[in-house]
Amino acid sequence: MNIADRFIKQNSLTKDEFIELILLAEQDSAVQQKLTEEAVRLRKKYYGADVYTRGLIEFTNYCKNNCYYCGIRKGNRNVKRYRLTKEEILECCERGYELGFRTFVLQGGEDPYFTDERLADIVRAIRSGYSECAITLSVGERSYESYRLLREAGADRYLLRHETANEELYENLHPKEMEFARRRQCLYDLKKLGYQVGAGFMVDSPGQKLWDLAEDLVFLKELDPHMVGIGPFIPHHDTRYAEEPAGSVERTVLLLTIIRILLPAALLPATTALGTLDAAGREKGLAAGANVVMPNLSPLKNRRQYELYDNKICTGEEAAESRADLAARVEKIGYRLVSGRGDAWSRDTIHTC
């Protein structure tokens, strides 16, 4: 039994075995095809042909952190900063609801202006106006008490990419005041509080080795998150990694396939980064086992200001207004865009193959 067959059978490997699997799949198209077929089978078992949509609201590009790879890092003085008001955020939700979105994702830098009280007030207002919708937050590292308050205000989900499970690589990508252990603890705090939790990492980030990716996969198996967001590294011109090459779309798609087998019931986005590097990148992600897309509900005037990396797609089918075009592209590869909340799988929603 080769390493791919063993992985399909037991859906878990050691770090050394994950390296062997990645290398084998990248060298042998038949192995990659076998993994893809299993990933698609599992994706259809747990979620059928449904592709869930999340309405993304990028509500602030202020950030107190100085992550070395990020275009909105604190030290970048060329960024035109903005914050959406509570009223503007609610207008985004209203427009998104009319377009058929039933999940709103509030994403921003770690902006001190949005205290627990301010953010909880916004969450409560969304919950009051859209009781049947899911509210997802993606606002970085906060205290346990902060996460608890936001959960009680009505937040359902929380996205916090761990970026890398290798401490040395984490320290190469972040300033010393950002602690590797702290990032991990936040994820476990969120799970303890009952959030649907999303983790994730960059593919081919500067200095990353196959061993690092294997560590990510082992960590994901241990954490068992509800969602995993991965995307290829894309450089930003105002960072120290401006001249580094972008990550591989092909390797990212392979890793989506592996993660689907590793965590069969996870929600897996086909990310904007995939679509930025490859016009068909999100379709490739969906065909490899992904089942979530996140069109942009942010005001048009602010979309280009939330530039985490260069050339981020901000118009066309990335925008929520082009939902019909996105639906057509999804249908073309055999899936269907749906309007529900798209919660993580439970035994009540299993599909038959």
Side-chain angles (χ1 to χ4, degrees):
M1 183 183 296
N2 68 30
I3 193 69
D5 291 328
R6 188 154 20 109
F7 178 52
I8 288 170
K9 182 177 180 180
Q10 67 190 35
N11 85 315
S12 184
L13 295 173
T14 66
K15 292 176 188 176
D16 287 333
E17 289 170 333
F18 273 126
I19 293 172
E20 182 183 349
L21 177 67
I22 293 168
L23 287 172
L24 180 62
E26 290 184 334
Q27 295 165 5
D28 190 333
S29 60
V31 171
Q32 182 155 358
Q33 181 61 30
K34 179 182 289 189
L35 292 171
T36 300
E37 289 172 357
E38 176 64 6
V40 170
R41 184 189 74 80
L42 290 168
R43 180 243 195 276
K44 290 182 176 178
K45 174 181 177 181
Y46 288 91
Y47 294 104
D50 293 347
V51 173
Y52 301 118
T53 54
R54 311 323 197 185
L56 182 62
I57 304 170
E58 296 163 334
F59 68 100
T60 176
N61 70 349
Y62 283 86
C63 190
K64 68 180 183 181
N65 296 328
N66 212 20
C67 303
Y68 299 142
Y69 52 85
C70 184
I72 65 168
R73 63 192 178 86
K74 177 182 67 176
N76 185 1
R77 297 185 178 181
N78 296 321
V79 178
K80 184 178 180 181
R81 303 288 178 177
Y82 74 92
R83 293 185 180 105
L84 300 187
T85 64
K86 175 183 173 181
E87 291 70 29
E88 287 175 318
I89 292 170
L90 291 174
E91 287 172 7
C92 292
C93 293
E94 181 180 4
R95 185 171 69 253
Y97 191 86
E98 291 171 353
L99 287 166
F101 290 87
R102 296 299 179 265
T103 289
F104 303 122
V105 181
L106 271 61
Q107 179 174 287
E110 293 194 24
D111 183 352
Y113 172 82
F114 286 99
T115 61
D116 293 345
E117 292 73 20
R118 282 195 174 108
L119 197 51
D121 179 59
I122 292 168
V123 171
R124 281 191 291 267
I126 298 172
R127 173 58 62 226
S128 175
Y130 306 95
S131 58
E132 77 273 35
C133 295
I135 301 171
T136 302
L137 299 177
S138 181
V139 289
E141 297 177 11
R142 301 175 82 95
S143 69
Y144 184 92
E145 183 60 23
S146 175
Y147 290 148
R148 185 191 63 77
L149 180 67
L150 295 171
R151 181 82 175 106
E152 291 175 353
D156 302 285
R157 306 172 185 150
Y158 203 102
L159 310 181
L160 181 67
R161 296 207 316 183
H162 65 277
E163 301 299 2
T164 174
N166 181 283
E167 185 167 8
E168 183 178 353
L169 180 58
Y170 187 90
E171 290 173 351
N172 287 340
L173 296 172
H174 301 88
K176 62 182 180 180
E177 61 267 19
M178 295 186 68
E179 299 178 4
F180 174 76
R182 168 68 180 154
R183 179 62 62 107
R184 285 195 177 210
Q185 186 58 52
C186 285
L187 287 164
Y188 286 106
D189 287 348
L190 290 161
K191 286 199 75 176
K192 185 176 180 180
L193 286 163
Y195 284 91
Q196 291 183 34
V197 176
F201 57 89
M202 289 185 289
V203 179
D204 294 331
S205 57
Q208 186 184 72
K209 305 292 190 295
L210 278 180
W211 178 257
D212 303 318
L213 289 173
E215 282 197 283
D216 283 316
L217 295 170
V218 170
F219 173 66
L220 287 175
K221 187 66 174 179
E222 171 195 309
L223 178 66
D224 192 23
H226 302 86
M227 188 181 112
V228 180
I230 69 169
F233 165 77
I234 304 177
H236 187 281
H237 61 278
D238 281 326
T239 70
R240 65 170 60 179
Y241 295 125
E243 302 303 319
E244 292 289 327
S248 164
V249 169
E250 291 73 23
R251 176 170 282 182
T252 303
V253 170
L254 170 61
L255 287 164
L256 279 170
T257 297
I258 291 172
I259 293 168
R260 171 60 67 202
I261 299 170
L262 184 71
L263 301 170
L267 295 160
L268 298 182
T271 60
T272 301
L274 271 176
T276 296
L277 289 184
D278 185 330
R282 280 174 295 180
E283 288 92 332
K284 291 178 180 179
L286 293 171
N291 64 328
V292 174
V293 291
M294 299 176 68
N296 203 325
L297 283 174
S298 307
L300 284 169
K301 63 184 175 68
N302 300 121
R303 289 180 189 172
R304 291 198 179 277
Q305 294 169 289
Y306 200 85
E307 190 182 60
L308 306 180
Y309 47 80
D310 285 346
N311 303 313
K312 178 185 170 191
I313 50 176
C314 300
T315 58
E317 280 137 356
E318 164 60 14
E321 294 81 358
S322 297
R323 184 185 175 94
D325 295 329
L326 182 58
R329 293 177 67 170
V330 168
E331 288 172 10
K332 192 173 181 179
I333 59 172
Y335 295 106
R336 61 173 175 263
L337 213 59
V338 297
S339 296
R341 284 170 49 110
D343 288 300
W345 174 84
S346 70
R347 293 190 180 278
D348 295 330
T349 58
I350 193 165
H351 293 76
T352 56
C353 294

